[in-house]
Amino acid sequence: MADNIFTGTIPALMTPCTAERTPDYAALVKKGKELIEAGMSAVVYCGSMGDWPLLTDAERMEGVARLVAAGVPTIVGTGAVNTRQAVAHAAHAAEVGAHGLMVIPRVLSRGTSPSAQRAHFKAILSAAPDLPAVIYNSPYYGFATRADLFFALRAEHPNLIGFKEFGGAADLRYAAEHITSQDDDVTLMVGVDTNVFHGFVNCGARGAITGIGNALPREVLHLVSLCEKAARGNARARIRAKELDEAMAVLSSFDEGPDLVLYYKHLMVLNGDSEYALHFNETDALTDAQRNYLEAQYALFRDWYADWSAQDDA
């Protein structure tokens, strides 16, 4: 596990949708390549941003295979309603040459049981023992992986090298204080856009998995770069990172809500990526108020960033 794919800035790709409500694989690969060319270190597919509950297993695997074949460094989400399906996604990721796994907890059935989650995690990690993996910790999955379980798993599965924290500031603090600071070979990934500054500066994160980075790759890469400098003690970078983090706060906050894919797909459309105009459920749509608010906040941020980034020390 010397090569750690879980560093830098990694967008969680959304799945573009055709008029027939099926995945647009050509557009998916195009966007993955664009984001890598922009400076992202890898992509995640298929996490919650990729609408994994709305796709078939075959559709998800096809997306993974096409990204890998196109040379896009790809981390595969293993979300599934049962362990058998999650294991199949992990095995497929290894088979096609993906670069890592994002191990998502068991959901719905015995999701709050530590013993059930341990067995679930072990099955996924065993299915692709040569792929580096992080556990995806999120309140939305209803289970919090704690230090005892993490290190018990790591003792048996050395491919478990990190922790992606999607909870709030307190959850990131717990992960840093009790898990990732115990072993230098264990990495912490910030998993929510609202906590990039806190994660890097206060918690020692080495990377970020981003939603809004799909629509604002330059700006998110800029923020992460400033945060990395601030984490090394650069006082001016700390000030500038906090300014950018605050200015992006409303747009970043959509990452925390149930409509995150709707919001960020609309931002992509505003950027000119018309392939993201549709959703897999035809009834999934922002309200007029939501759309108007998003557009106003996006326009405000673009104007602010143009002025702020032109300053000499930004």
Side-chain angles (χ1 to χ4, degrees):
M1 297 306 144
D3 296 329
N4 187 354
I5 191 69
F6 295 100
T7 56
T9 309
I10 302 173
L13 292 181
M14 293 175 287
T15 306
C17 182
T18 69
E20 292 74 33
R21 311 285 170 176
T22 60
D24 185 339
Y25 297 115
L28 175 71
V29 170
K30 176 186 173 186
K31 182 53 61 179
K33 293 174 74 172
E34 285 178 2
L35 290 167
I36 295 300
E37 290 168 3
M40 302 295 185
S41 55
V43 302
V44 166
Y45 191 77
C46 190
S48 53
M49 285 287 293
D51 277 330
W52 71 258
L54 305 184
L55 305 182
T56 67
D57 290 339
E59 287 171 337
R60 291 170 59 181
M61 291 177 181
E62 179 72 13
V64 169
R66 292 212 189 189
L67 286 164
V68 173
V72 178
T74 304
I75 298 163
V76 177
T78 63
V81 295
N82 64 61
T83 301
R84 175 176 47 80
Q85 287 176 289
V87 164
H89 287 292
H92 176 263
E95 178 184 338
V96 300
H99 299 76
L101 295 178
M102 193 166 67
V103 182
I104 296 172
R106 181 173 173 173
V107 295
L108 300 180
S109 170
R110 299 190 68 214
T112 59
S113 166
S115 62
Q117 293 292 2
R118 176 171 179 161
H120 178 77
F121 291 144
K122 282 180 61 62
I124 296 169
L125 294 166
S126 298
D130 295 324
L131 283 186
V134 298
I135 284 180
Y136 180 179
N137 209 53
S138 170
Y140 290 99
Y141 291 120
F143 181 80
T145 300
R146 293 310 191 199
D148 55 349
L149 175 56
F150 181 89
F151 285 107
L153 290 166
R154 181 164 161 77
E156 299 179 37
H157 303 279
N159 56 322
L160 177 58
I161 65 165
F163 204 73
K164 180 210 171 185
E165 181 53 73
F166 190 81
D171 296 299
L172 270 167
R173 169 71 181 268
Y174 173 87
E177 189 170 352
H178 299 286
I179 298 176
T180 57
S181 294
Q182 181 168 319
D183 185 340
D184 288 341
D185 292 330
V186 175
T187 190
L188 176 62
M189 299 291 294
V190 179
V192 59
D193 286 313
T194 52
N195 273 291
V196 171
F197 179 89
H198 175 64
F200 276 92
V201 177
N202 300 325
C203 302
R206 300 179 194 170
I209 295 178
T210 175
I212 195 164
N214 286 278
L216 295 172
R218 174 193 172 195
E219 295 83 351
V220 171
L221 286 164
H222 194 170
L223 174 60
V224 169
S225 176
L226 288 169
C227 289
E228 289 174 334
K229 292 175 182 176
R232 295 193 294 268
N234 186 312
R236 193 62 187 167
R238 185 184 184 102
I239 293 169
R240 288 305 199 182
K242 292 186 79 171
E243 290 173 347
L244 180 51
D245 186 58
E246 180 183 347
M248 206 184 296
V250 170
L251 298 177
S252 296
S253 72
F254 297 124
D255 194 25
E256 298 178 333
D259 293 331
L260 75 168
V261 176
L262 308 187
Y263 278 115
Y264 291 150
K265 275 194 171 183
H266 189 57
L267 283 185
M268 302 285 278
V269 173
L270 295 177
N271 286 345
D273 293 319
S274 59
E275 305 94 333
Y276 291 85
L278 297 178
H279 302 283
F280 293 101
N281 287 330
E282 189 173 356
T283 55
D284 287 343
L286 296 173
T287 66
D288 290 342
Q290 287 176 311
R291 187 173 59 255
N292 291 339
Y293 180 61
L294 174 66
E295 291 177 2
Q297 289 296 315
Y298 192 35
L300 173 61
F301 175 76
R302 287 200 313 267
D303 290 343
W304 176 89
Y305 186 80
D307 180 66
W308 178 84
S309 61
Q311 299 174 22
D312 290 340
D313 61 347

